[in-house]
Amino acid sequence: MVSVVFPAAGQAHRMQIGLNKVFLTLAGKPMLLRTLLTFSKVPEVGELIVAVGADEVDAVRTLLGRVKGLAPWRVVEGGSERQYSIRNGLALVSEEADVVLVHDAARPLIRRETIEELIRVVRAEGAAIVAVPEKNTIKIASEDNVVVSTPPRSTLWQVQTPQGFRKEILIEANRRADEDGFLGTDDASLVERIGVPVHIVKGEYSNIKVTTPEDMVVAEAILRNDMGAGELMKTAVHEAKRLLGGVVRRRKGDGE
């Protein structure tokens, strides 16, 4: 069985709304519910554990209790840091679970197919993350903002969630981090430091984390677009050829 822990206790300072951003609606549905319902459609997912602020626990329990189609769920008080929220969630993971996924509640556009592929790789390899190839050139700079080097773009990946691990690996990684006073930037960093190889599952660029008001606009647009990225691209190419076809033909005739 797969258990999924959702850290959702952040204060959303960059959103500047005075409200946990996971309660904001996208295309008419709260972001948190969109995320949980997608995971609930994955047959191997047997439980959802949501970590929220102490003052939000009762409200979230009430909200989830009204929703049909959710996998069995539990709500737990989160911590002052994301890592501590995960630790609190891990304490509630069922004994029957052999795989634990961690997913940002504020990534409501994750695809079911990606979740299923991640689970497959975790079961085969032990640890894996969803990521997409970096499209931009990245510079490494010194403390005084002077470029030191330019790493090859082919080696760079933008890390997303979900991230998945065999249960015993993630529990041990968190135990060691607590013991050593280590605070990681993501769950994979905890697993990496105990020597477990972390594999990559290629995801989608649309799997954005909603952090700013601008992200809300993008996420809403993606949700309201009935076509997938592939179909949208085909339509855009067809329309461009239709609009520019005459110009292209004339240029070719001129020998350009």
Side-chain angles (χ1 to χ4, degrees), residues 117-178:
E117 176 63 10
L118 179 68
I119 293 170
R120 185 191 69 77
V121 175
V122 171
R123 285 230 159 94
E125 306 292 348
I129 59 175
V130 172
V132 291
E134 175 58 59
K135 295 186 287 187
N136 299 301
T137 296
I138 302 298
K139 302 288 185 181
I140 297 176
S142 63
E143 292 184 1
D144 53 351
N145 293 333
V146 175
V147 172
V148 174
S149 63
T150 305
R153 193 165 56 191
S154 61
T155 67
L156 300 177
W157 291 77
Q158 296 178 35
V159 178
Q160 303 176 343
T161 64
Q163 299 186 356
F165 315 90
R166 290 184 192 142
K167 180 173 69 175
E168 66 274 13
I169 290 175
L170 186 57
I171 290 175
E172 176 63 12
N174 274 268
R175 185 192 70 77
R176 295 265 292 274
D178 284 346

Side-chain angles (χ1 to χ4, degrees), residues 5-8 22 31-33 35-36 50-51 103-108 161:
V5 179
F6 300 89
V22 301
M31 195 186 315
L32 175 62
L33 293 187
T35 305
L36 298 183
V50 185
H103 184 69
D104 300 322
R107 288 188 190 269
T161 64

